[in-house]
Amino acid sequence: MAPSGKKDTKAAKAAKAVKKSQWKKTRKPRYSVVFHRPRTLIRSRDPKYPRQSAPSLPKMDAFSVIKAPLTTESAMKKIEDNNTLVFLVDVRANKKQIKDAVARLYDIQTRKINTLIRRVMEHAGVDGWAPPWSGAGAVRGLEGSVEGEREVVRRRGAEKGPDGQKKAYVRLTPDYDALDVANKIGII
């Protein structure tokens, strides 16, 4: 047999090291009671192909923002007295879009824009029709007759009342005259 001396002790040490790991798990001390997620690398996007084949066109251009100028008596009074034009506009349009659309379509500067949405009546529908039992829009004394129905239809068409549409009062700057602009548009 081979002499055993240093080799045994060396082998014994190696066996002991294999059985018992030298690495010890130590717990990292925490100095705060709350956990803050460590900041990790955030890479910038690098797409390999465009996700949209073509960019979409804006839904609210100047022609869809402004529907029509309003030509009622009260609107004409506003034109004459307050240097203000009245337009029916898209319900989704905001004041900045209305201002830009008026400037683009009619080449005028606006001083101020007020908007309102015509309230839809409780019983009358959006198109002005109401069920006969609701009593909305019935002419007194003529209910049920043919003349009464014609009168109701005529009144509804003439008043252009609450139908849920948006109205914009466009006040012009002093260097523009609303009467001249209305003539150019073709309102008057």
Side-chain angles (χ1 to χ4, degrees):
M1 274 214 334
S4 65
K6 262 187 171 178
K7 288 183 182 174
D8 277 346
T9 58
K10 202 172 181 184
K13 280 183 185 175
K16 197 175 180 184
V18 168
K19 284 181 189 169
K20 182 185 167 201
S21 170
Q22 288 181 344
W23 180 77
K24 284 189 175 180
K25 184 177 181 183
T26 57
R27 189 170 288 218
K28 180 183 172 186
R30 294 195 178 275
Y31 300 108
S32 174
V33 292
V34 292
F35 175 74
H36 294 287
R37 182 181 58 81
R39 297 283 183 266
T40 54
L41 177 67
I42 299 172
R43 307 191 81 164
S44 60
R45 292 191 174 192
D46 185 22
K48 302 295 179 253
Y49 65 93
R51 295 298 189 254
Q52 279 185 321
S53 60
S56 59
L57 294 170
K59 291 187 175 76
M60 298 289 286
D61 64 332
F63 296 101
S64 62
V65 168
I66 294 180
K67 291 182 181 176
L70 209 61
T71 57
T72 57
E73 270 185 51
S74 61
M76 293 301 157
K77 190 165 173 47
K78 290 263 184 208
I79 290 172
E80 293 163 4
D81 298 346
N82 302 342
N83 201 32
T84 301
L85 295 169
V86 186
F87 293 100
L88 285 178
V89 295
D90 195 296
V91 178
R92 297 165 297 176
N94 57 30
K95 291 182 182 182
K96 187 181 183 314
Q97 288 172 328
I98 294 168
K99 183 177 183 173
D100 294 342
V102 166
R104 181 164 177 254
L105 294 177
Y106 306 119
D107 299 323
I108 51 177
Q109 295 293 315
T110 59
R111 188 173 125 195
K112 183 182 181 183
I113 293 178
N114 288 338
T115 59
L116 69 86
I117 296 178
R118 297 166 164 180
R119 185 179 62 86
V120 178
M121 292 174 72
E122 191 175 327
H123 292 293
V126 174
D127 59 347
W129 180 86
W133 59 85
S134 69
V139 179
R140 188 168 295 159
L142 296 174
E143 294 98 342
S145 66
V146 176
E147 294 130 26
E149 291 297 320
R150 283 194 197 123
E151 182 67 23
V152 168
V153 170
R154 191 171 45 215
R155 282 193 186 177
R156 280 201 191 116
E159 81 181 1
K160 295 190 176 25
D163 51 4
Q165 289 187 325
K166 192 174 206 173
K167 240 193 319 192
Y169 295 93
V170 180
R171 181 104 185 248
L172 306 182
T173 53
D175 48 325
Y176 290 97
D177 186 32
L179 270 169
D180 295 340
V181 175
N183 279 330
K184 190 173 91 172
I185 294 171
I187 298 174
I188 300 174

